[in-house]
């Protein structure tokens, strides 16, 4: 029995052979990416020859037609794979239509950096100001230091945008007690005519959120607050209008804002 049954080496060899044949079709038919960035290069003589693939010897149909159908199926598979790969790359490279966070690891570290980034989208401002330092206290951020301080911004979306994230400070100091920031978000759809939009539709496209600045823990920390945008979020070409108002308290710090697809 020992002489008839292969040992461990035989099992390993068989496994690698099966695995190689399983993946070889995918590596061979998509080999066009090594020589050209154009998916249409699969129609070339060299790549088409690799795309023929195996056929069953007991088939009695038109083998040439089957090879052509097989090649066309491979081309469709590779085109779909390329499109999905490009979509994934785009998603990784640019997940947000607008974002910044004060941090030494980012390009936003000084009050001048914060001021420049906020001025890209600000439409009005009363009582908020970029202040602070990169390292020593107080750290750079967008500060409110008076009751009822408020500002508004408008962002024209360059991609599908589903969420708003606010990075704000929580602290135990007396100046943080009872602080409450109200955030009013509205989506303006591309092509909407103001007179034609019903009151119900306006309500559906707006939401309010609240962010507090005080906690009992004897330390100061920055906390992200992530909210889903109303009405399913904004599409490319829509605008996101946000009004921030300090409805209670007289001190608040924002250290980052992000409007992203996830």
């Amino acid at each position: 029995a020992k002489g008839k049954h292969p040992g461990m080496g035989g099992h390993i060899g068989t496994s690698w052979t099966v695995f190689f044949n399983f993946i070889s079709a995918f590596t061979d038919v998509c080999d066009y990416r090594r020589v050209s960035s154009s998916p249409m290069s699969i129609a070339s003589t060299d790549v088409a020859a690799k795309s023929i693939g195996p056929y069953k010897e007991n088939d009695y149909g038109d083998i040439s037609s089957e090879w052509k159908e097989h090649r066309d199926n491979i081309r469709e598979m590779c085109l779909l794979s390329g499109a999905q790969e490009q979509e994934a790359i785009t998603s990784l490279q640019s997940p947000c239509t607008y974002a910044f966070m004060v941090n030494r690891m980012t390009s936003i570290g000084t009050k001048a950096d914060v001021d420049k980034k906020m001025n890209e989208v600000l439409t009005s401002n009363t009582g908020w100001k970029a202040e602070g330092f990169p390292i020593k206290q107080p750290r750079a951020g967008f500060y409110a230091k008076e009751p009822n301080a408020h500002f508004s911004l408008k962002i024209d979306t360059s991609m599908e945008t589903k969420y708003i994230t606010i990075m704000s400070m929580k602290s135990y100091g007396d100046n943080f007690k009872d602080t409450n920031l109200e955030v009013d978000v509205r989506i303006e759809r591309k092509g909407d005519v103001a007179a034609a939009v019903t009151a119900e539709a306006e309500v559906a496209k707006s939401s309010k959120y609240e962010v507090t600045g005080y906690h009992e823990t004897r330390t100061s920390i920055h906390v992200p607050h992530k909210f889903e945008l109303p009405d399913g979020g904004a599409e490319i070409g829509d605008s996101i209008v946000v009004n921030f108002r300090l409805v209670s308290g007289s001190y608040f710090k924002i250290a980052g804002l992000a409007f992203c697809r996830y």
Side-chain angles (χ1 to χ4, degrees), residues 2 8-9 13-14 17 23 67 78 93-94 104 109 119 155-156 170 186 190 194 201 204 212 214 219 227 255:
K2 184 176 181 181
M8 181 180 292
T14 301
T17 301
I23 67 170
W67 281 356
C78 290
Q93 288 178 340
S94 54
R104 280 179 289 178
N119 281 327
I155 295 172
D156 297 323
K170 277 185 174 290
R186 185 175 79 256
K190 179 178 63 176
T212 59
Y214 180 78
T219 187
F227 304 106

Side-chain angles (χ1 to χ4, degrees), residues 154-157 186-190 234 237-241:
K154 182 177 182 179
I155 295 172
D156 297 323
T157 56
R186 185 175 79 256
I187 306 296
E188 292 184 352
R189 297 295 181 196
K190 179 178 63 176
D238 292 343
S239 296
I240 305 170
V241 177

